[in-house]
Amino acid sequence: MNTITAAITAVGAYVPDFVLSNKVLETMVDTNDEWITTRTGIKERRILKDADKGTSYLAIKAAQDLIAKANIDPLEIDMVIMATATPDMMVAATGVYVATEIGAVNAFAYDLQAACSSFLYGMSTAAAYVQSGRYKKVLLIGADKMSSIVDYTDRATCIIFGDGAGAVLFEPNYEGLGLQDEYLRSDGVGRDFLKIPAGGSLIPASEETIKNRQHNIMQDGKTVFKYAVTNMADASELILQRNNLTKEDVSWLVPHQANKRIIDATAGRLDLDESKVLVNIERYGNTTSGTLPLVLADFEHLLKKGDNVIFAAFGGGFTWGSIYLKWAYDKK
């Protein structure tokens, strides 16, 4: 029997229409375009303004984009993994609702939450299901409505995050393409440095938690930056060493889009030319679970069959890692 590998065979994406530019943010908090651009690389981010639409809306749109472009029957999808840090609601899994709404009624679905590493972890999970031989079509969606948890009076966080979603389809491959290796890690030391304090079982919602804005994302920027730079770079470097890859062997680096300086540091550690680093943070900001698939969607036209692609991410918790994948198709 031929060895089964799990390859990405289709990509889809969606971002809301409303653009929140740095110039607009200047009217909301004490900041300016030069300061934001210099420190983050972000120029604008997309915001889902509709109060009656949640993360599921973004996810459904991205999945529908993939289904339409790949011309696949939703009934053939075996499972849906929903990578998100901002589910529509507690308990009722967002992925289950998304699967039903896109017509994937033969699939089972669930949510996966690892902050900004959610999609990276989801790639590992989706690939494992396919490689097991049990499932043929696994839809992995990364989506977050970060505007729902951002405090727009906090200039340290409101400049960073945006809303968006992307989706990929994992299918069996018999040519040795697809996911080759992974290095995934986590460390609970990060629990205090990047979090939403209230709303869980530890600090349930109350009048006081709402008044104190404890349902918004909070971070110790300097600490998170230090850990992110070190761990994303270390993980990516280890993946290259473990697979005997040189910088010449790497076709593309697909990094989590949290901060341009973190991206540059990771690329620098690998000694990669800037032309090999895929970046769209200036247009979307940090969409958390949506960053990696949005990069794939934006640059799908550059990816060629057989390309060596290195993914890297870092998220709250802390969670981080790197994945080595061989691209499986040329865009038609």
Side-chain angles (χ1 to χ4, degrees):
M1 179 183 291
N2 292 334
T3 301
I4 301 173
T5 52
I8 292 175
T9 59
V11 177
Y14 175 78
V15 291
D17 292 332
F18 182 83
V19 176
L20 178 59
S21 68
N22 291 347
K23 289 295 184 183
V24 174
L25 278 174
E26 288 179 3
T27 68
M28 298 167 62
V29 290
D30 182 17
T31 191
N32 60 73
D33 174 66
E34 182 184 6
W35 192 91
I36 297 171
T37 304
T38 301
R39 285 161 179 77
T40 69
I42 301 168
K43 282 289 188 183
E44 55 189 41
R45 62 291 290 149
R46 301 298 185 95
I47 303 296
L48 181 59
K49 298 289 283 185
D50 308 61
D52 62 339
K53 292 183 173 67
T55 294
S56 61
Y57 178 81
L58 302 169
I60 290 166
K61 287 288 192 179
Q64 289 173 336
D65 181 54
L66 182 150
I67 289 167
K69 290 197 301 185
N71 193 29
I72 65 168
D73 184 348
L75 297 176
E76 295 178 356
I77 297 173
D78 298 307
M79 65 178 298
V80 175
I81 301 174
M82 179 75 193
T84 185
T86 56
D88 282 4
M89 60 183 73
M90 297 287 281
V91 181
T94 302
V96 174
Y97 175 71
V98 171
T100 298
E101 289 299 297
I102 64 174
V105 295
N106 293 321
F108 73 98
Y110 60 87
D111 294 357
L112 188 158
Q113 208 281 71
C116 291
S117 299
S118 296
F119 191 85
L120 190 79
Y121 281 24
M123 290 176 66
S124 170
T125 307
Y129 276 114
V130 171
Q131 289 166 348
S132 73
R134 292 183 180 180
Y135 304 103
K136 303 293 187 186
K137 285 182 168 59
V138 178
L139 180 64
L140 170 63
I141 306 169
D144 272 304
K145 185 182 178 181
M146 294 303 293
S147 61
S148 67
I149 58 172
V150 166
D151 177 0
Y152 284 96
T153 67
D154 176 14
R155 68 174 184 173
T157 56
C158 74
I159 65 171
I160 298 169
F161 297 101
D163 303 338
V168 300
L169 184 68
F170 274 92
E171 294 187 274
N173 184 276
Y174 301 95
E175 301 176 88
L177 303 172
L179 197 145
Q180 306 293 306
D181 195 13
E182 62 183 48
Y183 178 77
L184 305 177
R185 288 294 182 270
S186 61
D187 188 342
V189 71
R191 181 176 165 109
D192 291 330
F193 301 117
L194 180 54
K195 62 184 178 181
I196 297 175
S201 61
L202 186 62
I203 307 176
S206 67
E207 185 177 346
E208 185 179 0
T209 63
I210 294 171
K211 184 173 65 177
N212 294 334
R213 298 180 183 272
Q214 290 176 275
H215 297 271
N216 296 121
I217 192 165
M218 300 177 181
Q219 72 168 353
D220 177 339
K222 290 183 178 179
T223 302
V224 173
F225 181 87
K226 180 181 70 174
Y227 273 92
V229 166
T230 301
N231 288 315
M232 268 181 64
D234 284 351
S236 302
E237 187 175 38
L238 187 144
I239 277 286
L240 262 62
Q241 292 173 353
R242 205 156 73 177
N243 291 277
N244 297 313
L245 296 173
T246 67
K247 64 178 182 179
E248 286 76 21
D249 297 321
V250 176
S251 306
W252 308 103
L253 173 66
V254 180
H256 171 52
Q257 311 286 302
N259 185 301
K260 183 61 163 58
R261 291 188 294 169
I262 297 174
I263 294 171
D264 291 343
T266 303
R269 176 76 71 83
L270 303 182
D271 197 22
L272 286 181
D273 187 88
E274 188 178 347
S275 63
K276 290 187 173 185
V277 185
L278 302 183
V279 180
N280 61 7
I281 190 172
E282 72 280 357
R283 291 189 290 131
Y284 306 133
N286 182 356
T287 57
T288 305
S289 308
T291 64
L292 296 182
L294 279 173
V295 170
L296 290 180
D298 277 359
F299 296 100
E300 185 185 15
H301 62 286
L302 297 179
L303 303 172
K304 303 300 180 187
K305 185 175 180 179
D307 278 358
N308 291 320
V309 185
I310 305 297
F311 294 81
F314 182 88
F318 289 127
T319 59
W320 72 93
S322 182
I323 282 178
Y324 165 34
L325 179 139
K326 279 188 173 291
W327 198 249
Y329 66 95
D330 297 325
K331 185 180 179 183
K332 296 177 181 178

